Amino acid sequence: MMALGNLNVDTITTSTSGGVLGAGNASIMKNRLINGACVIDQRYAGSAASSSYSGYVIDRWSVAQVGTTGKIIAQQNAGSVTPPIGFTNYLGITSQSSYTVGTNEFYSIVQTIEGYNIADLGWGTANAKTITVSFWVQSSLTGTFGGCLNNGGSRSYPFTYTISSANTWEQKSVTIAGDTSGTWGTTTGIGVQIWFNLGCGSTYSGTAGAWASANKVAPTGAVSVVGTSGATFYLTGVQFEIGSSATGFEYRIYGTELANCQRYYWKKAGQYPSANTTVGAGMLYSANDARACLANPVPMRIAPAITFSGSGFGFERPNTFLGTIGSPAAANYSPEASLIYSGSGTSSGTAGDATFWYITDNTSYIAVNSEL
Amino acid sequence: MNFNQADKVQEYSLNGVPVGILVVNGNDRTCIPLVAGNTDYQAYLKWVAEGNTPLPAEE
């Protein structure tokens, strides 16, 4: 008879070269980051963001250009290098100049984890859990690079890591004892931010390896990617997990990870001429006002902002093809659905007619945003 | 959201009830809910706190 008992392990190495199973009982929701493998790119679909852009690029990952913009370009799979084994995508940064970062400036990649997804860490209490951040990184530069954990402004932990060989993927891990002080969000607001530094002035740089009651996003003295024109910085396989050692990356089913991303942002793009894209069903509130329900694919973090981009919006009503929708707008926002309506438009319909909203070209889209 | 590059920032109502902030930026019309936890709404409040004024509200 087999004896029963407890087995406590951090990692289980498999017979497959380089294979490591999940840690302990954290086989579900191990990686608190979303899109750590950089697969999902709803906004840009692989295209580059403008160099003047500061905000979300691939899903859940944003770039910050706090100071003078135009210093970096972010793009999924920039430079078209071969990703590390086990990955097909990465987030790439290319420096646009040799820039000396000002005192109050910083350039970074950041993901903000929602409070609900780190609530069990117990940060801000005596029972704060240790975490490990692991990632694959490649740069045209070598030396001591840096990153930081932050609670959104009042607690931070700068850390360093070394890139030894230029233009070569290297896997790094950083283990950090949980913060026993400060206030850490545990609901729909900011939980933990993880920053990867690309250049930082003294105001936002701090001592590596210690928690501080300060708003820092990088360690002092780290390599500045924006300081070298044409320098590259590529990142993928990013994992934030409980425990004192890095375990194998938690791959997720594509549909699951897409839904995880859509809690914060989703986009419905026009597909014409293959078809008008159905947006939602509703009714004519008046001859020129088609109102419809815009249902979110998953409950969003919070009532979202809705962007109507382009002019290709129309509606169908009984026995008639499309009226155009001018000045589209939204109301009655909620995490589950919102009301969309036509501020003006062309129609000879009758109030109460059933209707469908459509996107009628292949350049217009609706973007729904509740990012942190 | 960058309010400083917007063509128009305006509060708007539906059926007489204020429902959001409309930001027109080129071909983009963004409707922002009046919800404290929405980061676009937070950016709007910051923009107002910096001394900017939206256009008069309209239906």
Side-chain angles (χ1 to χ4, degrees):
Chain A
M1 176 180 291
M2 180 180 292
L4 300 177
N6 295 324
L7 176 65
N8 297 314
V9 294
D10 275 345
T11 62
I12 303 172
T13 302
T14 72
S15 58
T16 303
S17 177
V20 180
L21 300 179
N25 58 3
S27 59
I28 299 174
M29 194 179 156
K30 183 173 73 171
N31 189 359
R32 308 309 171 94
L33 294 165
I34 295 171
N35 203 24
C38 304
V39 172
I40 298 171
D41 185 13
Q42 294 185 84
R43 292 172 180 81
Y44 290 95
S47 298
S50 164
S51 65
S52 63
Y53 182 72
S54 190
Y56 283 88
V57 281
I58 64 172
D59 281 65
R60 300 299 294 126
W61 292 99
S62 66
V63 292
Q65 298 194 70
V66 176
T68 306
T69 60
K71 303 307 174 189
I72 57 173
I73 286 180
Q75 182 180 14
Q76 184 189 49
N77 299 339
S80 301
V81 302
T82 301
I85 293 172
F87 296 93
T88 56
N89 296 278
Y90 58 89
L91 174 57
I93 301 293
T94 308
S95 172
Q96 300 301 295
S97 63
S98 300
Y99 185 65
T100 301
V101 179
T103 302
N104 298 318
E105 298 177 347
F106 61 84
Y107 299 83
S108 299
I109 299 169
V110 59
Q111 182 169 145
T112 300
I113 305 173
E114 185 177 350
Y116 276 128
N117 294 337
I118 57 96
D120 60 315
L121 299 185
W123 286 15
T125 77
N127 299 315
K129 294 179 180 176
T130 294
I131 63 94
T132 296
V133 176
S134 57
F135 50 95
W136 286 90
V137 64
Q138 176 180 144
S139 177
S140 59
L141 307 175
T142 60
T144 302
F145 288 67
C148 192
L149 302 185
N150 192 308
N151 69 346
S154 61
R155 295 288 294 174
S156 48
Y157 184 103
F159 62 81
T160 61
Y161 60 93
T162 301
I163 294 181
S164 304
S165 301
N167 303 315
T168 304
W169 286 108
E170 298 179 12
Q171 189 178 28
K172 308 297 176 186
S173 70
V174 180
T175 296
I176 298 170
D179 188 12
T180 57
S181 300
T183 300
W184 294 84
T186 56
T187 60
T188 56
I190 295 172
V192 177
Q193 295 176 321
I194 178 167
W195 297 81
F196 290 91
N197 176 53
L198 304 169
C200 188
S202 59
T203 299
Y204 294 99
S205 299
T207 303
W211 286 106
S213 295
N215 185 20
K216 306 297 183 184
V217 298
T220 302
V223 169
S224 176
V225 175
V226 300
T228 301
S229 181
T232 57
F233 182 90
Y234 302 152
L235 182 70
T236 194
V238 192
Q239 182 153 279
F240 179 111
E241 62 187 304
I242 292 175
S244 56
S245 61
T247 66
F249 184 79
E250 182 189 16
Y251 294 97
R252 296 188 181 125
I253 298 296
Y254 177 82
T256 300
E257 194 72 326
L258 176 61
N260 288 338
C261 294
Q262 288 175 328
R263 176 170 172 79
Y264 306 92
Y265 178 93
W266 66 276
K267 181 178 181 179
K268 184 176 282 290
Q271 300 168 329
Y272 189 86
S274 61
N276 289 317
T277 304
T278 303
V279 172
M283 67 163 190
L284 293 187
Y285 188 79
S286 63
N288 292 328
D289 187 358
R291 299 189 176 185
C293 173
L294 181 69
N296 300 322
V298 298
M300 301 190 74
R301 181 185 67 86
I302 201 164
I306 299 174
T307 297
F308 303 88
S309 183
S311 57
F313 300 99
F315 63 95
E316 190 173 52
R317 61 184 180 77
N319 303 315
T320 306
F321 188 50
L322 298 173
T324 62
I325 292 174
S327 306
N332 300 353
Y333 311 86
S334 81
E336 292 78 23
S338 300
L339 169 70
I340 52 177
Y341 64 97
S342 176
S344 62
T346 61
S347 170
S348 57
T350 302
D353 283 353
T355 187
F356 272 102
W357 262 57
Y358 289 109
I359 300 174
T360 58
D361 63 26
N362 60 6
T363 57
S364 298
Y365 63 85
I366 297 174
V368 185
N369 178 33
S370 69
E371 285 283 9
L372 284 157
Chain B
M1 171 165 291
N2 189 335
F3 285 86
N4 293 324
Q5 294 179 351
D7 301 327
K8 181 170 82 171
V9 180
Q10 185 172 38
E11 298 177 4
Y12 70 101
S13 301
L14 180 65
N15 301 337
V17 178
V19 292
I21 309 298
L22 172 65
V23 182
V24 179
N25 201 335
N27 288 327
D28 291 350
R29 294 170 56 85
T30 298
C31 300
I32 301 171
L34 307 174
V35 172
N38 184 289
T39 50
D40 287 320
Y41 185 58
Q42 292 167 2
Y44 166 75
L45 295 177
K46 180 172 181 285
W47 179 80
V48 171
E50 290 169 349
N52 299 290
T53 305
L55 296 171
E58 69 176 27
E59 179 76 16

